[in-house]
Amino acid sequence: MARASHWTFTQDDADNITRILQLFLQETNSRSAMLVDRAGQLVTTVGEQPQFDATAFATLAAADFSANDQLARLIGETDFTTLFHQGERDSMYVADVARRLILVVLFDTRTTLGLVRLRLKAAVTELTAIFERPADADAGFDAAPGILAGAEDDIDRLFS
Amino acid sequence: MSVINYASREINCKIVYYGPGLGGKTTNLEHVYARVAPETRGKLISLATENERTLFFDFLPVDLGTIRGFKTRFHLYTVPGQVYYNASRKLILKGVDGIVFVADSQVDRAEANIEAMQNLYDNMSEYGYDITRMPFVIQYNKRDLPNAASIDELDQILNPGFEVAETGRQKPLEDPNRPGTMLVQQLESGEWVERAPTVEAVAVAGDGVFDTLKIVSKLVLKSLAASS
């Protein structure tokens, strides 16, 4: 079997991401920020814990972003780096991070789109620095020892 | 692409059900949704047309247990089977860890099966993924129908085997789920070939649905273990 491509989020990664996003939420008075990988998997949520199904939300947000990426290409753009969905009370702003993740910010009338957009640039730059670390070509950035190394028997037991 | 999250102690993997239109991909997910304990699964999301044809995808997250303190969470997706939805079908393959090809066993669907399989190979290679080197299971669905082709016939057109070039992998390997059937074998011509594991199913009745899920998820975790 070929080496599976995967990436690992260590506790350090999670702490750094949380620190960056918490500061962003404070500065902009936004409600919450979610980091989602391009394949639709939720990496982390910071701020108000969502009252909706966050897993489904992450999947739909990633699909939305990917669909828009293709729309961009059809009109001759390489991509749309950000998306904005405006609601009556709640809105969401979605931005690309290092071409591997998307950052979804939920905010309401306590802030403005301009402020969110302004501060988001700095947050995205900081997040990009985390995710653009040199990567092993096969394994993403597997900094931590592989949790599944030698776990063949455990896997067999899980399905027995 | 699997995501191993040390902070939430989760391993997330993505499995995509692929295949011709009306082959039973959505039915597979609906059966899993109906039969697993509610606390181990999330919502079943369907982006479908008014007449229940999949427009973009169906999505169902399921937890399959814990390994070494990490929850194994599988995100199951289907793609729209209809030929003209290729753009959305391709998007769903992004970051896939394992593929289930749901074939329609009916004789008159042979062409649709072949076309969907070719489309899968094309879309995967456009992403630079090599389907012959990743977890891949073929489900022969609708085995209960009177016009179902034989497994041998289906194997011939959909699962003829791909060449195994590396000498390290050139050793006979029996399919643990189909005793007497070989996954890796040497042909009379001397060439070594590997076939994808197959499962017979009647998805509307639930037959073979969990066997398929079990085989593909196990392959995904094992390939992840091999890369650790």
Side-chain angles (χ1 to χ4, degrees), chain B residues 27-28 31-32 35 139 200-211:
Chain B
T27 309
N28 266 267
H31 183 77
V32 172
R35 291 301 165 86
Q139 181 188 76
E200 293 187 54
V202 182
V204 279
D207 298 347
V209 169
F210 279 99
D211 289 340

Side-chain angles (χ1 to χ4, degrees), chain B residues 146-220:
Chain B
N147 58 342
S150 73
I151 294 298
D152 279 350
E153 285 169 324
L154 289 165
D155 269 343
Q156 265 175 31
I157 59 167
L158 297 174
N159 195 19
F162 40 83
E163 191 187 349
V164 180
E166 294 147 68
T167 44
R169 290 168 63 228
Q170 290 178 342
K171 46 190 170 200
L173 175 67
E174 197 182 39
D175 185 345
N177 306 294
R178 272 173 74 189
T181 311
M182 303 304 289
L183 289 180
V184 181
Q185 68 181 127
Q186 191 172 25
L187 302 177
E188 281 175 15
S189 60
E191 186 191 4
W192 283 88
V193 291
E194 179 170 6
R195 293 187 173 85
T198 58
V199 182
E200 293 187 54
V202 182
V204 279
D207 298 347
V209 169
F210 279 99
D211 289 340
T212 308
L213 177 58
K214 193 169 144 177
I215 294 170
V216 73
S217 352
K218 192 167 165 177
L219 287 173
V220 167

Side-chain angles (χ1 to χ4, degrees), chain A residues 102-123:
Chain A
I102 55 172
L103 174 62
V104 185
V105 179
L106 295 176
F107 61 97
D108 57 23
T109 49
R110 287 174 293 179
T111 185
T112 62
L113 171 63
L115 184 59
V116 170
R117 184 179 276 162
L118 182 71
R119 298 289 183 193
L120 196 75
K121 272 194 180 163

Side-chain angles (χ1 to χ4, degrees), chain B residues 68-109:
Chain B
R68 298 187 171 174
F70 280 66
K71 199 188 267 184
T72 58
R73 181 158 250 236
F74 285 83
H75 289 184
L76 313 183
Y77 287 79
T78 68
V79 297
Q82 287 157 290
V83 177
Y84 46 85
Y85 286 137
N86 193 46
S88 39
R89 196 159 40 236
K90 195 174 151 196
L91 287 181
I92 302 307
L93 286 176
K94 199 178 181 72
V96 64
D97 298 304
I99 304 262
V100 173
F101 185 91
V102 181
D104 188 329
S105 294
Q106 298 180 89
V107 172
D108 56 3
R109 296 296 285 162

